[in-house]
Amino acid sequence: MVGAKAGDQIRDYIKTSDSPTAEIEFLGTLIGPSPPSPRVAAFSSRGPNHLTPVILKPDVIAPGVNILAGWTGMVGPTDLDIDPRRVQFNIISGTSMSCPHVSGLAALLRKAHPDWSPAAIKSALVTTAYDVENSGAPIEDLATGEPSNSFIHGAGHVDPNKALNPGLVYDIDVKEYVAFLCAVGYEFPGILVFLQDPTLYNACETSKLRTAGDLNYPSFSVVFGSTVDVVKYRRVVKNVGSDVDAVYEVGVKSPANVEIEVSPSKLAFSKEKSELEYEVTFKSVVLGGGVGAVPGHEFGSIEWTDGEHVVKSPVAVQWGQSSVQSF
């Protein structure tokens, strides 16, 4: 498999040569700093989340370019009906390859931690991801050649080893997901399409979420408007580390034009208190009103650390609906 540029050169050579030949030389595995990795493919899906802007998307990135993987014998390597070939392996790029990488990591985490929920597994993958390449520079976006951001790489590239021991996780149960659906405008009986559980019929009335942004997600997405310059989110973290008496302190990297206050700034866990709540206040220090007044979006992070673990959540901030649409 070769890229478009090399493919054009090969075709030109075949057309202009009376007796074209080819030779493959196996050089073995080459490891080095050039080119830097990982980098975000130009075709990778991008944020922000247009349907629910208070939930950051994407979540993470994972290997998905030129992946050698097992291939079904039902179709040919091109996946076209006119292709009669059958192969056991194929080189594939896209979400079709990133998804099984992350799914495999989730399976490994589930095996290591059988009591973890899907949300806890997702949290571990998100809060331990990294956003710099092996040269130490920010991960590059191949679509622009510029450094990527949380609307491009989410929290960053998954790190399986760190995800096994994340320190803290953001867990979510079924009732909280139902409350989220209520907060974004779904109503019963329509919600039963997702649940098929009539016992949760009154979930909207008993919802604990103040807003959809209060869903206990391991990242933060904030939207300021012309009349909204302060946004508050609640989060609950669960200590899953080996030290039941761990003490975590917060570190904040505020996006430009935004002040962030986390209360409390220290979380002291114990055997009796393995889950603790905190609140984050985001304040726009410039007037809202869209792209003309301030940048359409800015990025930062909130980190909790006990000296052993770093539990990092990306922060994405947008000003006004117009900035969301113009990105």
Side-chain angles (χ1 to χ4, degrees):
M1 178 172 285
V2 297
K5 183 177 181 180
D8 290 340
Q9 293 173 336
I10 292 171
R11 277 190 291 268
D12 289 341
Y13 166 65
I14 293 173
K15 292 177 180 178
T16 57
S17 175
D18 294 333
S19 180
T21 60
E23 179 180 295
I24 298 177
E25 183 177 359
F26 292 95
L27 302 177
T29 300
L30 302 179
I31 299 176
S34 180
S37 65
R39 294 183 291 178
V40 183
F43 55 76
S44 185
S45 296
R46 309 303 169 101
N49 185 338
H50 293 285
L51 293 179
T52 313
V54 295
I55 300 297
L56 178 61
K57 291 294 175 181
D59 290 307
V60 290
I61 56 174
V65 177
N66 292 344
I67 305 299
L68 177 63
W71 185 253
T72 175
M74 299 298 294
V75 295
T78 59
D79 202 18
L80 298 174
D81 293 337
I82 61 174
D83 189 351
R85 298 173 298 170
R86 294 296 181 265
V87 295
Q88 293 182 324
F89 296 90
N90 201 2
I91 296 177
I92 304 298
S93 298
T95 306
S96 304
M97 284 292 98
S98 284
C99 181
H101 274 90
V102 177
S103 298
L105 296 184
L108 290 173
L109 290 175
R110 180 72 171 184
K111 181 66 175 179
H113 304 284
D115 58 330
W116 282 12
S117 69
I121 292 173
K122 181 175 187 175
S123 171
L125 290 168
V126 169
T127 61
T128 58
Y130 58 92
D131 57 7
V132 294
E133 57 193 25
N134 56 2
S135 67
I139 294 176
E140 180 186 347
D141 177 15
L142 290 177
T144 62
E146 300 294 329
S148 61
N149 56 51
S150 292
F151 284 157
I152 299 171
H153 62 234
H157 193 283
V158 289
D159 188 326
N161 293 329
K162 287 186 177 181
L164 282 168
N165 183 22
L168 305 177
V169 293
Y170 295 79
D171 209 352
I172 306 174
D173 62 23
V174 174
K175 290 185 178 180
E176 289 175 285
Y177 281 119
V178 175
F180 170 76
L181 291 175
C182 299
V184 296
Y186 286 91
E187 298 177 350
F188 282 91
I191 292 179
L192 294 179
V193 172
F194 300 97
L195 292 174
Q196 299 180 356
D197 184 356
T199 63
L200 297 173
Y201 193 88
N202 65 340
C204 289
E205 286 72 18
T206 60
S207 170
K208 295 185 296 182
L209 295 186
R210 299 174 300 182
T211 66
D214 270 345
L215 182 68
N216 205 38
Y217 218 66
S219 57
F220 298 90
S221 183
V222 180
V223 179
F224 294 117
S226 57
T227 60
V228 178
D229 59 2
V230 176
V231 175
K232 295 185 178 183
Y233 289 156
R234 288 196 196 111
R235 291 292 189 270
V236 176
V237 283
K238 181 178 182 180
N239 181 18
V240 295
S242 58
D243 183 4
V244 296
D245 297 317
V247 177
Y248 282 79
E249 296 187 4
V250 73
V252 174
K253 181 182 178 182
S254 295
N257 302 309
V258 176
E259 292 179 354
I260 296 179
E261 180 181 348
V262 180
S263 180
S265 60
K266 180 183 292 187
L267 298 174
F269 294 91
S270 65
K271 185 177 181 181
E272 295 76 23
K273 295 183 178 180
S274 61
E275 295 186 27
L276 294 174
E277 179 180 307
Y278 69 92
E279 183 176 74
V280 186
T281 301
F282 302 90
K283 182 178 180 181
S284 173
V285 296
V286 293
L287 293 176
V291 180
V294 295
H297 48 265
E298 296 288 351
F299 305 94
S301 63
I302 295 175
E303 294 183 1
W304 291 97
T305 181
D306 64 346
E308 177 185 357
H309 307 91
V310 176
V311 187
K312 183 178 179 180
S313 295
V315 174
V317 176
Q318 305 171 68
W319 279 267
Q321 193 63 27
S322 58
S323 66
V324 176
Q325 295 172 345
S326 63
F327 177 75

